Amino acid sequence: MRPGAVALAVSSLIVLAAGPPAPPPLPARMADTGGGTQLITAVAPERASTTGTVSWWDRGGDGRWVQRGSAPARFGANGLVAGAARKQGTSTTPTGLYGLPYAFGIEAAPPGTAYGYRRVHRDSWWCQDNDSRSYNRWSEPRAADCRAAEAEQLITYRAQYAHALVIGFNYERPVRGRGAGIFLHVNGRGATAGCVSVPEDAMRRILTWADPARRPHIAVGTASGKTAVTRL
């Protein structure tokens, strides 16, 4: 065999051994990441899934996204549904791209937390009463027009709300009946009532990583289909 042919054959073998190039990182395959330089992705295999993966990403000065961490995640007991079609009380996690208004917790903020962080007290409530002017808002004390049966007393969820980030679903201009109190929080005993949850150590790492000056968002979706995170 001619020397040139040998070199070509060896080169071909190297390419075959290396395999196809790695796909771009997940944020680079999304239509919209919120315009900031930090992003959290919460991805379930399919709409009926109650588990998946949360990852957090930084975008560098060169425009490339780099994954900074990842953790197993839990979703609603009845899976995921498009945010615009969600109905309150269905235990579904709304898919979509959302801001992260502020953090809160029963425990003190982890050292290094840059986010605005509200401590939970005994009279801290999240109103889910569709007839209340405080619908889908923190209420401290509980608003007079917000029925206790239609609100969460935050301190009673000691594991889940040790640390949390508010997900801006149905938050800026709340639509009654669509849902209230969707958070990224610490795992409880199983699937959530519609929130996204992660182990406590992961929640703490997310809070020390997140920088509001970099306008982080959370993208919640599935790996494929109409609610695929790459379609956001």
Side-chain angles (χ1 to χ4, degrees):
M1 185 180 290
R2 290 180 292 107
V6 171
L8 180 61
V10 171
S11 176
S12 298
L13 285 172
I14 291 173
V15 170
L16 287 173
L26 179 56
R29 290 180 274 132
M30 293 171 55
D32 186 6
T33 56
T37 57
Q38 287 189 327
L39 180 71
I40 299 172
T41 55
V43 184
E46 54 188 27
R47 288 176 62 173
S49 301
T50 59
T51 59
T53 304
V54 160
S55 302
W56 47 105
W57 310 77
D58 284 327
R59 189 176 70 183
D62 60 0
R64 296 182 181 180
W65 288 96
V66 178
Q67 183 174 302
R68 296 303 186 192
S70 184
R74 295 174 181 173
F75 298 95
N78 289 321
L80 296 84
V81 67
R86 188 180 186 271
K87 296 186 184 300
Q88 186 164 323
T90 56
S91 293
T92 52
T93 298
T95 65
L97 179 68
Y98 305 108
L100 298 161
Y102 61 89
F104 70 90
I106 294 171
E107 298 180 11
T113 298
Y115 247 82
Y117 190 93
R118 297 188 71 167
R119 288 296 298 273
V120 172
H121 304 106
R122 187 156 297 279
D123 59 350
S124 303
W125 296 73
W126 196 275
C127 184
Q128 301 177 356
D129 190 335
N130 283 282
D131 296 325
S132 173
R133 288 172 293 178
S134 298
Y135 179 69
N136 203 18
R137 288 291 185 273
W138 181 295
S139 182
E140 188 175 326
R142 178 171 52 84
D145 68 346
C146 183
R147 293 167 290 174
E150 298 294 329
E152 282 190 351
Q153 188 176 17
L154 299 176
I155 204 166
T156 62
Y157 296 88
R158 291 193 172 273
Q160 295 92 323
Y161 297 157
H163 303 292
L165 270 166
V166 176
I167 294 177
F169 166 73
N170 201 30
Y171 189 77
E172 292 299 328
R173 298 178 180 83
V175 176
R176 312 287 165 155
R178 184 163 289 171
I182 300 298
F183 312 127
L184 173 62
H185 63 66
V186 177
N187 285 340
R189 293 184 178 179
T192 73
C195 296
V196 179
S197 73
V198 292
E200 184 172 7
D201 68 317
M203 192 68 234
R204 293 175 65 87
R205 283 186 286 143
I206 290 169
L207 285 174
T208 56
W209 158 85
D211 181 355
R214 298 180 64 184
R215 295 187 295 149
H217 286 68
I218 185 168
V220 183
T222 51
S224 60
K226 293 182 179 179
T227 52
V229 72
T230 50
R231 299 182 64 166
L232 299 180

